[in-house]
Amino acid sequence: MKIICVGRNYAAHAKELGNDIPDEPVIFMKPKSALLQSHTPFYYPEFTNELHYECELVLRICKNGKYIQERHASNYYNGITAGIDFTARDIQDELKKKGLPWEKAKAFDNSAVIGKFIDTTPDLNRKNINFSLYKNKELVQQGNSGQMLFSFDAIIHHISNYFSLNIGDLVFTGTPAGVGECVVGDELEGFIEDQKLFSLEIK
Ligand code: ZN
């Protein structure tokens, strides 16, 4: 199982970090060990002083495939949830400055949080899914799948040209504007529409 993530998929977020809007999806990966297992506490990593939340829509792959055409892409995922792509922003800034890979900032243990999955039924409007993140009961991030630069199906198509997709893989589809810091004791809650899908305390 692997975790594939899309960076800079919302114009407003690319801008808030001072990045250009990409002309093709920006892709990075997290290993299996990055997935926070359910009922496991999340501890603030010791190597960072600037841990950021990035709330994202996450797709669950249900079919093996390679070179998937965009018009068939929706057959390859059957679940969606909200999740967090935890990022050690101070480390990432250092690595970016040096032109080095991001893994230490993005792919560390427990950096991928997922909520409870909702089935992606054919009547789910994939272009109009609202999601949000609350920190200590206050709304901090809000997005809609219609704001994505690359749609779910465009992402699946693009990824599958490079990496085989396998049942159980997860795809983090990018974060909207509003990323920010979190500290020990913060409570993070992720929603799709008004359904709470995860709740997490930083220990
Ligand atoms: Zn992200």
Side-chain angles (χ1 to χ4, degrees):
M1 174 272 187
K2 59 189 175 295
I3 303 168
I4 303 151
C5 307
V6 182
R8 305 175 192 167
N9 201 19
Y10 291 79
H13 168 66
K15 219 166 133 191
E16 77 179 340
L17 293 186
N19 295 311
D20 292 335
I21 290 168
D23 46 22
E24 62 175 55
V26 173
I27 303 295
F28 59 96
M29 306 234 247
K30 296 180 187 248
K32 190 178 171 189
S33 49
L35 187 66
L36 181 71
Q37 301 298 319
S38 49
H39 308 297
T40 305
F42 178 86
Y43 292 102
Y44 194 103
E46 57 180 27
F47 49 79
T48 178
N49 292 306
E50 193 186 7
L51 181 69
H52 273 200
Y53 53 78
E54 294 190 357
C55 185
E56 315 200 355
L57 290 171
V58 182
L59 302 175
R60 181 182 60 202
I61 299 298
C62 63
K63 194 173 166 181
N64 297 335
K66 195 170 168 60
Y67 302 121
I68 299 162
Q69 291 177 42
E70 205 170 316
R71 64 193 164 95
H72 295 140
S74 63
N75 299 323
Y76 287 79
Y77 54 92
N78 67 356
I80 187 165
T81 189
I84 298 181
D85 163 23
F86 273 118
T87 304
R89 194 71 70 199
D90 48 353
I91 310 274
Q92 190 194 27
D93 287 345
E94 280 299 305
L95 295 168
K96 274 163 77 176
K97 239 184 273 167
K98 295 178 187 160
L100 294 172
W102 295 352
E103 275 84 351
K104 287 202 264 185
K106 284 276 197 187
F108 53 86
D109 284 1
N110 302 334
S111 60
V113 174
I114 52 170
K116 193 166 73 86
F117 278 93
I118 297 169
D119 292 338
T120 49
T121 51
D123 53 306
L124 177 88
N125 184 349
R126 292 171 171 75
K127 288 202 175 78
N128 189 23
I129 300 170
N130 289 299
F131 63 107
S132 53
L133 181 73
Y134 285 74
K135 183 172 93 169
N136 305 327
K137 308 288 181 205
E138 194 184 313
L139 178 65
V140 288
Q141 249 195 319
Q142 177 167 41
N144 179 285
S145 58
Q147 303 162 334
M148 298 194 305
L149 297 171
F150 301 99
S151 68
F152 297 147
D153 296 349
I155 292 167
I156 298 290
H157 163 70
H158 185 82
I159 291 171
S160 73
N161 289 338
Y162 298 85
F163 311 105
S164 299
L165 286 173
N166 296 114
I167 296 170
D169 288 349
L170 299 173
V171 180
F172 279 65
T173 60
T175 199
V179 300
E181 227 181 316
C182 40
V183 295
V184 173
D186 281 346
E187 183 196 35
L188 299 172
E189 295 171 295
F191 290 78
I192 288 182
E193 305 296 345
D194 52 9
Q195 203 178 340
K196 195 202 290 188
L197 299 175
F198 68 81
S199 169
L200 176 88
E201 194 198 323
I202 302 188
K203 307 247 181 208

